Amino acid sequence: MRHFEQELEKLKSKLLEMSALVESAIYRSVQGVVEKNEELAQQVLRNESRVNQLEIEIDDAAISLLALQAPLAADLRLVTATIKINNDLERMGDLSVSIAQSALALIKEPVIRPLIDIPHIAGLAQGMVRKALDAFVNRDPELARSVLASDDAVDNMRTASYHELISFMATNPQQIPQALYLLSVIRNLERIADHATNIAEDVLFLVKGIDVRHHNEERSAVPQR
Amino acid sequence: MTTPEQPIVKERAPARASDSDTNTLPSTSKLNAKNINFFYGSFQALHDISMDIQSNKITSFIGPSGCGKSTFLRTMNRMNEALRNTRVEGDLLLDGENLLGMDVTYVRRRVGMVFQKSNPFPKSIFDNVAYGLRVNGITKKSIVEESVEKSLTRAALWTEVKDKLHKPASALSGGQQQRLCIARALAVEPEVLLLDEPCSALDPIATLKIEELLFQIKDMTTIVIVTHNMQQAARLADYTGFFLLGKLIEFDDTRKIFQNPNKKETEDYVTGRFG
């Protein structure tokens, strides 16, 4: 294997390590909320620094590859997609931390009814993250497209949950602080789903060289003659 | 060399009357190659090459050594005819006219060429640039002087040599000599400028100067460049053709070639996984 390919492999394995860390941070933070699991929520806070460190290492490695190896074609798309996916993963890590903090705040409070659809939204968002990362690993454009299709469902569930929570707060003003934490959790899950969508878009760019962001389904990332 | 009776002002292809009468866009291609085959004796060096070279654009040819890119470039100003036992088949049109059937000196006046190794004549800087004008019968001092200054300025060399125009060209650095050769080619105002690895012997600063000057002159002339340096092709060219074993594998917008080529062979070559 050429030196350049070895460097590219190192970059990919760092991104996969970052993916695994962020995926488990999302899972643990959700368990913190849904199962009131304090230990898992605490683990998310403890692992944050490793995610941040990896973000810097991946950017550094990618920029070095661009500067020193001037990659082209599929290699160029891989390095640029990695930089973008890295950024999305780090943001997802931050959002998990925020969910874990909400979980810790909610743990001592009684479960409020209705418990809103958090388990359902979390399941959908986690599924999108897993599919987006699998699509990256397996270079699977169809799987990436299936992630894009799920984004609207998460948005709709968030809106429905907001309405539900607002009604709940109107009738149970003494539980507004808890409801606000739940509101924050829902918002963070929806943002995680957005980042998963970004990753799926980057996978389509990586594999097919097309740019589907902002519903540009037909636009090619490079001009066609 | 050129013959004096040929006019220095070239006949340009007349604009097609239909262009303004209909909604069809005027063709912007300067050169059209159709099914070009080229033979060195019994060895076929080019197989069925067809492409349009767009006016006032930079087109680059890339590919491994021996792929035919230089042979094809040299076909465009009939340089291969100097070699014995060669044969070209197919059509090559310059502004719609058959280039392969034109008077060869007339072709070379319209289609200039710069080579890998700079080849200034053993004359002064001034006389090198003035050479093409003089053999074309232009001897009036003021016109020649004006043209020499204009060509050297276009070739981004004027400020460096204006005080030593009558010194030998051989005293210039490699990068300056190459820009002098470009100035010499530009002096007769060619419609097409062919460059065969013009920067391969130059340092990065001299290379950037050549690249900058190509950007500067492309509104005046159509440029075709053969280069082994893919980053140079990526920086310079509007269109890029990838040659392999005498065939044109892919020809497309440069960004397409270097970001997302259609053919696996192109992908393998530009990512260094070739061979």
Side-chain angles (χ1 to χ4, degrees), chain B residues 163-183:
Chain B
D163 299 323
K164 50 181 176 185
L165 289 173
H166 298 285
K167 294 272 167 59
S170 56
L172 296 173
S173 73
Q176 288 173 325
Q177 287 191 15
Q178 194 62 304
R179 277 179 283 147
L180 179 68
C181 292
I182 294 175

Side-chain angles (χ1 to χ4, degrees), chain B residues 4-12 106 109-110 136 138 188-189 191:
Chain B
E5 59 270 23
Q6 294 276 3
I8 184 79
V9 178
K10 288 85 49 184
E11 301 92 349
R12 307 261 174 181
Y106 177 58
R109 191 184 304 147
R110 294 179 65 180
N136 279 293
I138 296 172
V188 294
E189 301 187 3
E191 295 160 56

Side-chain angles (χ1 to χ4, degrees), chain B residues 74-207:
Chain B
R74 291 158 64 91
T75 304
M76 288 193 244
N77 83 338
R78 313 256 301 269
M79 204 51 85
N80 291 322
E81 286 174 24
L83 304 170
R84 281 187 179 185
N85 204 16
T86 59
R87 180 162 57 92
V88 60
E89 291 173 353
D91 294 319
L92 191 54
L93 307 178
L94 175 61
D95 283 336
E97 295 174 76
N98 177 17
L99 182 148
L100 298 175
M102 287 176 193
D103 175 76
V104 70
T105 55
Y106 177 58
V107 170
R108 290 183 192 159
R109 191 184 304 147
R110 294 179 65 180
V111 183
M113 187 148 186
V114 173
F115 299 89
Q116 179 176 9
K117 188 173 181 309
S118 55
N119 54 352
F121 300 141
K123 292 171 176 289
S124 71
I125 293 166
F126 185 94
D127 287 343
N128 261 275
V129 184
Y131 190 87
L133 301 166
R134 287 173 177 156
V135 297
N136 279 293
I138 296 172
T139 52
K140 192 173 176 193
K141 198 177 168 209
S142 60
I143 294 177
V144 173
E145 281 177 350
E146 189 186 329
S147 177
V148 168
E149 178 176 345
K150 192 165 84 176
S151 302
L152 284 167
T153 303
R154 281 179 183 174
L157 191 59
W158 175 250
T159 52
E160 290 164 57
V161 301
K162 63 180 166 37
D163 299 323
K164 50 181 176 185
L165 289 173
H166 298 285
K167 294 272 167 59
S170 56
L172 296 173
S173 73
Q176 288 173 325
Q177 287 191 15
Q178 194 62 304
R179 277 179 283 147
L180 179 68
C181 292
I182 294 175
R184 187 175 66 192
L186 292 177
V188 294
E189 301 187 3
E191 295 160 56
V192 180
L193 185 63
L194 309 175
L195 301 109
D196 194 353
E197 296 186 47
C199 303
S200 61
L202 303 184
D203 71 33
I205 304 297
T207 298

Side-chain angles (χ1 to χ4, degrees), chain A residues 2 4-5 8 69-77 205 207-210 220-225, chain B residues 52 54 230-231 234 239 251-262 266-267 270-273:
Chain A
R2 283 191 304 147
F4 169 65
E5 288 169 52
L8 214 51
Q69 305 284 348
L72 290 170
D75 296 336
L76 175 65
R77 299 202 304 277
F205 169 72
V207 181
K208 309 276 262 184
I210 53 172
S220 170
V222 289
Q224 304 287 325
R225 293 181 82 207
Chain B
D52 286 349
Q54 301 295 308
M230 281 189 285
Q231 290 303 325
Y239 300 104
F251 181 52
D252 212 323
D253 187 285
T254 295
R255 283 205 290 159
K256 174 85 180 145
I257 295 290
F258 290 117
Q259 287 180 29
N260 189 23
N262 283 328
T266 315
E267 174 91 33
V270 301
T271 58
R273 288 173 178 82

Side-chain angles (χ1 to χ4, degrees), chain A residues 34-68:
Chain A
V34 176
E35 303 294 335
K36 289 182 173 285
N37 188 325
E38 185 172 356
E39 172 52 24
L40 289 181
Q42 292 288 3
Q43 279 180 18
V44 176
L45 305 188
R46 286 199 297 272
N47 287 349
E48 191 199 4
S49 62
R50 178 61 189 147
V51 172
N52 291 344
Q53 181 59 33
L54 269 173
E55 184 200 20
I56 292 168
E57 287 175 23
I58 290 167
D59 268 354
D60 196 39
I63 289 167
S64 291
L65 275 172
L66 287 174
L68 305 180

